[in-house]
Amino acid sequence: MDYMLHPLGDQAVLIEVGETITLDIHEKIKTISSCLNTLQDDWFIEYIPAFTTVTVFYDLMTIQKKDTKNKTPYEYVCDELSFLLSSVGTNEKVESRTVTIPVCYEQELAPDLEFVAKTNQLSSQEVINIHSSGEYTVYMIGFAPGFPYIGGMSNRIAAPRKETPSLRIPAGSVGIAGKQTGVYPLETPGGWQIIGRTPLKLFQPDEDNPSLLKAGDKIKFSQISYKDYCSLGGKQK
């Protein structure tokens, strides 16, 4: 596997595997993440996967206590990572799980659905049909706790971000920004075009795994009625 290592401050190494957001690059990110899951060295703190990079954080003081043969902590970690990744196969695949997200696309929960439809010269129902029939991949988690950046959306329903972000986007809101779709796990400000809402709780801080979704998950959106939305625990209008 081809990659490059870069320093990120004095306690992190950036593993770069590409410059564009593609499924091939994403598979490499998943493979590296899977490999790092096996790392139990005392200098290793955590890693954060992104679109084209994985950042590895290390404990500077722990390394300085080791016999590193005159290597700097950064050089030491780079050597350790290179050794770890040398055993990774270029065609190695990491299994993904599929998560179905129920979405209510009714107008009261989808304030920007009509805008997305007009932008693409479609009807609102056509936007719903396209969005709920797509095959998606979670490329990364970011922006807010548990917020999934989901790729694979049809260009037919792509739409620009809002010119003026909304001050309040309800938790569970499903949005579109450019060629991506995503789900707001918490009530936050935001600039995505909101086309529906899910009753699922994507972020529960009291759980051992607080984020429902993770990078690499495959996503399916399933259209539900407002009645079903409420019965599944969705916040009412």
Side-chain angles (χ1 to χ4, degrees):
M1 179 188 298
D2 293 330
Y3 61 87
M4 297 180 65
L5 301 177
H6 308 282
L8 187 63
D10 62 354
Q11 297 188 67
V13 175
L14 191 73
I15 306 173
E16 182 183 13
V17 295
E19 298 180 347
T20 57
I21 304 172
T22 65
L23 278 175
D24 179 61
I25 294 297
H26 178 66
E27 288 295 331
K28 292 179 180 179
I29 295 294
K30 285 170 54 182
T31 299
I32 292 173
S33 298
S34 178
C35 193
L36 290 171
N37 285 335
T38 68
L39 190 58
Q40 298 181 351
D41 294 49
D42 55 1
W43 56 263
F44 174 65
I45 298 176
E46 65 176 340
Y47 71 90
I48 300 176
F51 283 123
T52 62
T53 63
V54 179
T55 301
V56 176
F57 292 88
Y58 56 87
D59 188 325
L60 186 65
M61 298 303 293
T62 297
I63 297 174
Q64 288 179 333
K65 295 176 183 178
K66 295 179 179 291
D67 178 12
T68 61
K69 296 181 172 51
N70 296 321
K71 298 176 185 176
T72 66
Y74 170 72
E75 292 171 337
Y76 175 84
V77 172
C78 284
D79 286 348
E80 293 293 303
L81 291 176
S82 295
F83 177 77
L84 180 70
L85 297 177
S86 65
S87 62
V88 176
T90 56
N91 296 319
E92 185 173 339
K93 297 292 184 180
V94 178
E95 289 187 6
S96 300
R97 62 174 184 162
T98 298
V99 179
T100 298
I101 299 179
V103 181
C104 178
Y105 296 93
E106 291 195 18
Q107 184 175 0
E108 290 83 353
L109 305 180
D112 305 311
L113 178 58
E114 186 176 350
F115 171 82
V116 173
K118 288 183 177 179
T119 297
N120 292 284
Q121 299 180 325
L122 299 169
S123 68
S124 294
Q125 187 57 53
E126 286 175 318
V127 173
I128 294 170
N129 292 344
I130 294 170
H131 188 263
S132 60
S133 63
E135 296 181 357
Y136 301 91
T137 300
V138 177
Y139 278 87
M140 63 175 284
I141 303 294
F143 163 62
F147 186 100
Y149 286 84
I150 303 173
M153 191 183 74
S154 170
N155 290 341
R156 295 174 61 199
I157 56 173
R161 295 171 182 261
K162 297 175 183 291
E163 292 185 5
T164 302
S166 299
L167 296 178
R168 175 182 172 273
I169 302 291
S173 294
V174 178
I176 288 175
K179 298 178 182 179
Q180 293 187 99
T181 186
V183 185
Y184 283 77
L186 304 169
E187 181 179 307
T188 64
W192 293 42
Q193 306 292 346
I194 304 306
I195 64 167
R197 196 183 303 173
T198 179
L200 293 187
K201 292 180 173 58
L202 269 67
F203 183 71
Q204 300 187 68
D206 295 332
E207 299 291 333
D208 290 338
N209 295 311
S211 178
L212 174 65
L213 303 177
K214 61 183 179 180
D217 285 345
K218 300 299 181 182
I219 301 296
K220 293 182 179 179
F221 293 105
S222 174
Q223 182 179 6
I224 60 173
S225 66
Y226 179 70
K227 180 180 179 180
D228 289 338
Y229 168 82
C230 293
S231 69
L232 292 171
K235 186 176 181 180
Q236 299 187 14
K237 302 172 187 176

